[in-house]
């Protein structure tokens, strides 16, 4: 354990639970529903409103072998190819074999997917998939529908929720075992100010960290809080250098910052073409799937073309869809484009890559267990090994769904030591990290976009590392306490800095180009030296300590407390007998 945490007031209130789930996307709410249905006292903590997480922004859909002629084996093959040699095959096999039934249970919970005239689930294709296996809802509003169904189920089940709450740090007992979280409620909800939820099991489902970059598809709440909490608690993270830049994000100008409108890969799946200003398709001949190549390949191709032609963006041409198809299949994207003065029915859409998805995160085993006993991670915040060096399109919602069920099963089944939830919550002021001023957020984002964006070099990464360390030193040595008082904006900036430092440390170490990690000075993939994972933890000096695994397989996640390890990874968790849909 590191013994460090954010500078914050001492908790002024506390509640008790069996499980606290941090996050309200598909991963968090699925875990919470399964735990509550099994009779565990479950509390959901979420940073904004229940339906404000990353899940609701997902457009394309959820991938699973549901179509005639498709198989989990084919889905596995496509995932392994996209992952560029770094997927954990056991994790992928778990995903693709358990995925179809998990989607069916999601439907039983209340999610409505688009169907064909015969009543079957309508399926489309996205990049890297050789089959139509992407289930979607509302045309291009899949995430919104999944979020709606799960939030409705949570409310129907009367789960205890704490909204508008930023989780600060993990609480641990004297043995280093998870004992809950501290959190700050932002002026609304059942509690106010800093408090605590004491529980022997904590599930991080906090989503991504896209806000470390200036331009991202992620909502403003995606500040890497879960990864930062886990690092301060002593957990290992892995593959953080593999940040996926979505190839087709609506280009709003070179200086545009913050959340940018996504143009789903499903648009290309339905036949849209990537073209330059002259209308020439540039993906032909670059990959057998052309515009439907894996995302890293398409993002690199767009970036190369912009450099070659001296432009800032390329175009996505789907004028041949016609107005009816645009309005029926992609109403959300159509509205977003028109809101910015672009009409896809009559003109090509300007697009450029932007930060989209973290393939790495808090390292877990196949039951979602981290290297800190009692702490679990699920969804984008986790690194299960499913995504490798580059996530296959629409595998993210499925990963959250499948591994949430496995986490809930592990918590319910596993022998859990008696943990006192009546002891004092650690006081503030000891072993704390210096806070950054709120305005540091913009500085971090610009440093990361310049030095660790789509294209990286040893020089750009060294500069980024030095600039980030300068921010860290200034906060520790020269900062005026009035400039960085404890509060949501300073806590978020401090989390962003920690996550950025670890990401850059890993990216500097990986001297090759693989998946969505593009080193311009090391343009080739080097399997002999680098077909291995980079695992990072914080050292005693609070600096990132990076080590490489022996090979492409993940080493076991070893808990410091054997009493909570439960069944081996190789044993599938028994299906929970009670489904939330049956309780309603």
């Amino acid at each position: 354990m590191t013994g460090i945490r954010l500078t914050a007031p001492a908790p002024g209130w506390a509640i008790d639970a069996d499980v606290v789930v941090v996050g309200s996307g598909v991963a968090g709410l699925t875990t919470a529903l399964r735990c509550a249905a099994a009779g565990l006292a479950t509390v959901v903590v979420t940073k904004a409103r229940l339906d404000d997480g990353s899940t609701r922004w997902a457009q394309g859909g959820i991938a699973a072998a549901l179509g005639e002629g498709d198989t989990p084996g084919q889905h596995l093959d496509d995932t392994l190819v996209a992952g560029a040699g770094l997927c954990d095959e056991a994790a992928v096999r778990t995903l693709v074999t358990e995925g179809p039934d998990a989607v069916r249970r999601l439907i039983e919970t209340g999610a409505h997917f688009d169907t064909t005239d015969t009543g079957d689930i309508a399926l489309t294709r996205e990049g890297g998939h050789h089959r139509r296996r992407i289930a979607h809802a509302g045309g291009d509003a899949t995430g919104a529908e999944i979020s709606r169904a799960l939030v409705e189920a949570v409310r129907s089940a009367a789960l205890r929720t704490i909204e508008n709450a930023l989780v600060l740090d993990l609480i641990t007992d004297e043995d280093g075992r998870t004992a809950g979280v501290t959190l700050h409620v932002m002026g609304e909800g059942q509690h106010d100010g800093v408090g605590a939820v004491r529980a022997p099991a904590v599930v991080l489902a906090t989503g991504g960290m896209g806000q470390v970059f200036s331009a991202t598809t992620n909502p403003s709440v995606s500040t890497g809080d879960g990864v930062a909490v886990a690092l301060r608690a002593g957990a290992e993270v892995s593959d953080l250098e593999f940040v996926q830049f979505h190839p087709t994000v609506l280009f709003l100008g070179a200086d545009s910052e913050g959340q940018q409108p996504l143009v789903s890969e499903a648009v290309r799946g339905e036949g849209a073409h990537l073209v330059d200003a002259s209308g020439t398709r540039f993906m032909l001949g670059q990959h057998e799937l052309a515009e439907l190549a894996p995302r890293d390949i398409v993002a690199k191709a767009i970036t190369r073309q912009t450099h070659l032609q001296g432009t800032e963006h390329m175009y996505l041409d789907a004028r041949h869809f016609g107005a009816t198809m645009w309005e029926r299949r992609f109403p959300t994207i159509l509205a977003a484009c028109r809101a910015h003065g672009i009409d896809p029915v009559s003109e090509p859409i300007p697009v450029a890559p932007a930060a989209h998805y973290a393939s790495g995160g808090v390292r877990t085993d196949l039951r979602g267990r981290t290297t800190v006993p009692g702490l679990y991670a699920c969804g984008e915040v986790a690194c299960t090994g499913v995504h490798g060096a580059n996530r296959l399109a629409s595998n993210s919602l499925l990963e959250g769904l499948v591994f949430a069920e496995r986490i809930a099963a592990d918590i319910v089944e596993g022998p859990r030591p008696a943990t006192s939830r009546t002891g004092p919550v650690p006081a503030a002021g000891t072993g704390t990290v210096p806070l950054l001023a709120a305005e540091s957020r913009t500085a971090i984002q610009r440093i990361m976009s310049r030095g660790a964006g789509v294209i990286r070099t040893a020089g750009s990464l060294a500069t980024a590392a030095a600039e980030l360390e300068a921010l860290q030193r200034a906060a520790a040595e020269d900062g005026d306490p009035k400039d960085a008082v404890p509060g949501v904006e300073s806590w978020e900036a401090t989390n962003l800095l920690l996550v950025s430092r670890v990401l850059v440390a890993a990216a500097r170490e990986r001297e090759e180009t693989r998946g969505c990690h593009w080193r311009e000075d090391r343009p080739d993939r080097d399997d002999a030296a680098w077909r291995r994972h980079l695992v990072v933890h914080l050292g005693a000096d609070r600096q990132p300590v990076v080590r490489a695994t022996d090979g492409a397989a993940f080493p076991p996640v070893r808990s410091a407390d054997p009493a909570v390890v439960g069944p081996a990874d190789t044993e599938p968790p028994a299906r929970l007998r009670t489904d939330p849909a049956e309780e309603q």
Side-chain angles (χ1 to χ4, degrees):
M1 309 301 293
T2 66
I4 61 173
R5 56 189 179 277
L6 291 172
T7 301
W13 53 268
I15 60 176
D16 295 331
D18 295 320
V19 184
V20 56
V21 176
V22 186
S24 59
V26 63
L29 294 189
T30 300
T31 305
L33 285 166
R34 298 297 187 268
C35 287
L40 296 179
T42 305
V43 174
V44 176
V45 175
T46 187
K47 194 172 177 181
R49 306 294 294 179
L50 273 182
D51 61 354
D52 278 346
S54 295
T55 290
R56 78 180 182 96
W57 296 99
Q59 294 176 346
I62 185 166
L66 297 165
E68 184 177 353
D70 196 6
T71 65
Q74 294 176 63
H75 189 182
L76 180 142
D77 290 342
D78 286 345
T79 301
L80 295 180
V81 169
L86 279 187
C87 294
D88 184 283
E89 187 166 339
V92 179
R93 196 171 298 280
T94 296
L95 179 84
V96 299
T97 55
E98 297 182 13
D101 283 343
V103 172
R104 295 182 184 103
R105 283 188 290 275
L106 179 62
I107 294 170
E108 292 171 3
T109 301
H112 302 292
F113 290 94
D114 296 338
T115 57
T116 65
D117 293 339
T118 60
D120 297 322
I121 295 175
L123 300 172
T124 189
R125 280 182 68 195
E126 291 186 1
H129 294 271
H130 284 79
R131 290 268 187 180
R132 284 184 169 263
R133 66 168 65 97
I134 315 300
H136 49 83
D140 58 359
T142 310
E145 170 57 18
I146 291 173
S147 180
R148 179 208 62 77
L150 291 173
V151 168
E152 191 172 292
V154 163
R155 288 176 174 153
S156 296
L159 263 69
R160 188 167 194 174
T161 61
I162 304 176
E163 298 180 292
N164 303 298
L166 172 65
V167 165
L168 303 176
D169 280 301
L170 195 71
I171 303 169
T172 53
D173 62 20
E174 59 276 9
D175 297 320
R177 196 185 181 288
T178 296
V181 294
T182 56
L183 66 157
H184 172 76
V185 180
M186 296 175 259
E188 297 181 31
Q190 193 170 6
H191 301 283
D192 192 15
V194 174
V197 180
R198 294 181 292 217
V202 172
V203 182
L204 295 176
T206 52
M209 55 185 191
Q211 289 291 325
V212 300
F213 296 98
S214 295
T216 177
T217 63
N218 290 193
S220 61
V221 295
S222 297
T223 51
D225 305 319
V227 172
V229 166
L231 282 164
R232 285 194 296 272
E236 293 181 347
V237 303
S238 186
D239 297 358
L240 225 60
E241 68 271 30
F242 296 118
V243 176
Q244 186 177 83
F245 287 76
H246 198 288
T248 53
V249 175
L250 182 62
F251 181 77
L252 300 180
D255 297 327
S256 183
E257 296 181 336
Q259 186 177 11
Q260 312 288 299
L262 176 66
V263 182
S264 170
E265 199 151 305
V267 178
R268 282 174 279 140
E270 296 291 354
H273 302 145
L274 282 165
V275 299
D276 60 18
S278 68
T280 302
R281 290 178 65 185
F282 55 86
M283 286 304 300
L284 295 175
Q286 296 207 33
H287 190 276
E288 61 167 334
L289 297 176
E291 281 88 356
L292 287 178
R295 288 179 176 175
D296 63 312
I297 294 171
V298 180
K300 291 171 187 174
I302 291 174
T303 302
R304 285 195 188 99
Q305 288 299 120
T306 59
H307 287 182
L308 286 172
Q309 299 184 17
T311 62
E312 296 177 325
H313 61 83
M314 290 288 112
Y315 294 90
L316 187 65
D317 191 353
R319 290 175 289 180
H320 55 285
F321 284 5
T324 299
M325 180 174 175
W326 266 111
E327 291 164 1
R328 175 184 57 81
R329 182 67 178 85
F330 300 111
T332 307
I333 299 170
L334 178 64
C337 289
R338 285 176 170 171
H340 291 282
I342 305 295
D343 188 352
V345 176
S346 58
E347 59 187 315
I349 305 168
V351 293
H356 182 56
Y357 190 88
S359 291
V362 184
R363 192 166 81 85
T364 74
D365 63 12
L366 299 188
R367 291 168 172 264
R369 298 173 295 205
T370 74
T371 51
V372 173
L375 179 65
Y376 296 80
C378 191
E380 191 173 354
V381 71
C383 182
T384 61
V386 159
H387 304 305
N390 179 52
R391 174 178 67 99
L392 180 65
S394 288
N395 268 355
S396 51
L397 290 175
L398 190 70
E399 182 195 32
L401 196 61
V402 167
F403 286 90
E405 292 188 340
R406 293 177 72 85
I407 287 172
D410 190 73
I411 293 172
V412 171
E413 296 169 13
R416 313 214 58 85
T419 300
S420 171
R421 287 174 280 158
T422 58
V425 175
T430 303
T432 55
V433 294
L435 295 180
L436 270 69
E439 56 267 25
S440 299
R441 177 172 180 150
T442 300
I444 293 166
Q445 292 169 333
R446 291 175 179 173
I447 289 169
M448 293 296 289
S449 294
R450 287 194 304 266
V454 179
I455 302 175
R456 303 165 178 176
T457 65
S460 75
L461 290 167
T463 299
E467 291 174 342
L468 293 172
E469 287 304 314
L471 288 177
Q472 180 79 2
R473 283 195 307 274
E477 301 169 4
D478 306 322
D480 184 339
K482 292 181 294 185
D483 293 336
V485 296
V488 173
E489 292 179 340
S490 59
W491 288 324
E492 285 185 330
T494 305
N495 285 341
L496 284 170
L497 178 61
L498 174 56
V499 172
S500 296
R501 290 170 58 222
V502 172
L503 190 161
V504 169
R508 294 182 74 184
E509 189 79 11
R510 184 172 292 280
E511 295 182 336
E512 64 158 356
T513 291
R514 181 185 297 271
C516 50
H517 172 66
W518 183 1
R519 284 283 298 262
E520 187 79 347
D521 55 336
R522 295 285 191 273
D524 299 321
R525 172 171 154 177
D526 183 355
D527 280 349
W530 288 109
R531 192 163 178 245
R532 61 192 70 236
H533 300 274
L534 294 177
V535 178
V536 188
H537 69 276
L538 291 186
D541 59 356
R542 304 184 183 183
Q543 293 295 317
V545 178
V546 185
R547 67 177 173 87
T549 62
D550 292 335
F554 265 123
V557 170
R558 300 195 185 281
S559 168
D561 183 356
V564 300
V565 170
D569 285 345
T570 53
E571 300 173 14
R575 182 64 52 208
L576 293 179
R577 291 182 173 82
T578 308
D579 188 273
E582 299 169 0
E583 293 287 303
Q584 300 171 23

